[in-house]
Amino acid sequence: MSTFSTQAASNSSTSMAPTFLLVRMPGLSVVPSWWTIPLITLYLLSAMGNGTILWIIALEPTLHRPMYFFLFMLSVSDVGLATALMPTLLGLALADAHVVSASACLIQMFFVHVFSVMESSVLLTMAVDRALAICRPLHYSTLFTNGFISKIILAIGFRCLGLHLPLPFLLAHMPYCHPQVLTHSYCLHPDVTRLACPGTWSAIYSLFVVLSAMGLDPLLIFFTYGLIGKVLQGLGSSEECWKAGQTCMAHLSAVLLFYIPMILLAIIDRLRLPVPQSAHTLLSYVHFLLPPLLNPILYSVKMKEIRERILKRLQPMKMSCVQ
């Protein structure tokens, strides 16, 4: 690590550094390539699982409903997030490539955060969708029309691009006074901003981006689930309560999987808790890499319609293979 710091220090100046230095997860420095196979396997499983969700929703007219449109968008964000992380992860695993150019780092940073905010926005939208379906069932179909869904999709796209498009340009022109050594195997804007000289107003904008999306969305989601919980308590039949609650289980699991590691990371950083760097890095991997892998499984297991449509589509394929 000291070698990287020394090399990066020579690049430190009052202008944009030509390169950044990535670090591998602590404990893997002596075996640069053993984790290539699980890493590629994880990515292929994520792509296959989310690809199956995209395929089944696109082909099944019965699934062309608001809840499944949002699930389609969630799978797009999962695939995009996993794909954005892979170049530097595979570069480290296959070629021990610690050095990444500033332009490549900022491009990766842009796409990682765009797809992260997209996932957060979709999870919030799905929570509102479930709340209206349970709390206002009679008004649901009149509210969630195709035109309204199109506006939601445009709003999510505008939010992702509007928040993050300025960041690469701002960071490219920031003065850097610290060694350009990152703390992860990929580029994140809080990590890059941390290396800048004190007093740069881009750091304030970076904090605003984090709070306006990743800070606000979980609060709104948990508030929405509070409203859902109140309505479920008022249902007379326990069977009706269970049936309504089941429609939220997959989404709530996806929410917890996505936000809990992020909240823990924020608490550790803010309170400066004495947590080993390996645990800190592992939480970051869990936050970014596990949701794309597990979300398709959660939705396939918890949502009967998705599971039945997948089995229905796979049945003819099995028959043809047997013949």
Side-chain angles (χ1 to χ4, degrees), residues 9 24 26 32-33 48 66 75 80 102 118 135 153 167 172 189 191 194 212 220 235 251 254 259 283 289 293 309:
R24 188 180 286 113
S33 60
M48 184 173 67
S75 291
M118 180 179 176
C135 302
I153 294 171
L167 275 174
H189 72 68
D191 210 7
R194 175 183 57 84
S212 63
L220 294 175
L235 291 178
H251 176 258
Y259 286 113
L283 275 175
L289 294 176
L293 176 66
R309 297 304 184 280

Side-chain angles (χ1 to χ4, degrees), residues 102-141:
S103 57
C105 185
L106 294 180
I107 289 172
Q108 182 187 50
M109 179 201 75
F110 172 74
F111 283 107
V112 166
H113 288 293
V114 161
F115 285 115
S116 293
V117 172
M118 180 179 176
E119 178 142 358
S120 182
S121 302
V122 173
L123 288 172
L124 174 58
T125 305
M126 294 174 83
V128 174
D129 171 79
R130 290 298 83 210
L132 286 174
I134 293 172
C135 302
R136 294 289 185 270
L138 298 178
H139 300 92
Y140 179 80
S141 58

Side-chain angles (χ1 to χ4, degrees), residues 41-190:
T41 302
L42 184 147
Y43 177 70
L44 291 177
L45 289 174
S46 299
M48 184 173 67
N50 286 288
T52 301
I53 297 292
L54 294 172
W55 168 66
I56 207 69
I57 292 175
L59 290 184
E60 284 288 340
T62 56
L63 298 181
H64 293 177
R65 301 201 302 262
M67 178 169 56
Y68 299 106
F69 284 134
F70 300 140
L71 178 56
F72 188 94
M73 292 180 64
L74 185 67
S75 291
V76 170
S77 64
D78 278 336
V79 171
L81 183 57
T83 302
L85 293 167
M86 283 301 116
T88 52
L89 290 177
L90 290 177
L92 280 169
L94 294 172
D96 203 25
H98 289 268
V99 179
V100 59
S101 68
S103 57
C105 185
L106 294 180
I107 289 172
Q108 182 187 50
M109 179 201 75
F110 172 74
F111 283 107
V112 166
H113 288 293
V114 161
F115 285 115
S116 293
V117 172
M118 180 179 176
E119 178 142 358
S120 182
S121 302
V122 173
L123 288 172
L124 174 58
T125 305
M126 294 174 83
V128 174
D129 171 79
R130 290 298 83 210
L132 286 174
I134 293 172
C135 302
R136 294 289 185 270
L138 298 178
H139 300 92
Y140 179 80
S141 58
T142 58
L143 287 173
F144 276 89
T145 60
N146 289 336
F148 184 61
I149 292 172
S150 300
K151 290 177 182 177
I152 291 176
I153 294 171
L154 287 174
I156 290 174
F158 179 78
R159 186 191 196 202
C160 297
L161 296 176
L163 282 175
H164 285 287
L165 194 57
L167 275 174
F169 300 101
L170 292 172
L171 291 170
H173 294 90
M174 284 173 68
Y176 288 80
C177 304
H178 304 283
Q180 271 72 46
V181 182
L182 302 176
T183 58
H184 296 286
S185 306
Y186 32 79
C187 298
L188 303 174
H189 72 68

Side-chain angles (χ1 to χ4, degrees), residues 27 35 141 243 302:
W35 58 305
S141 58
K243 186 177 179 181
K302 295 291 184 180

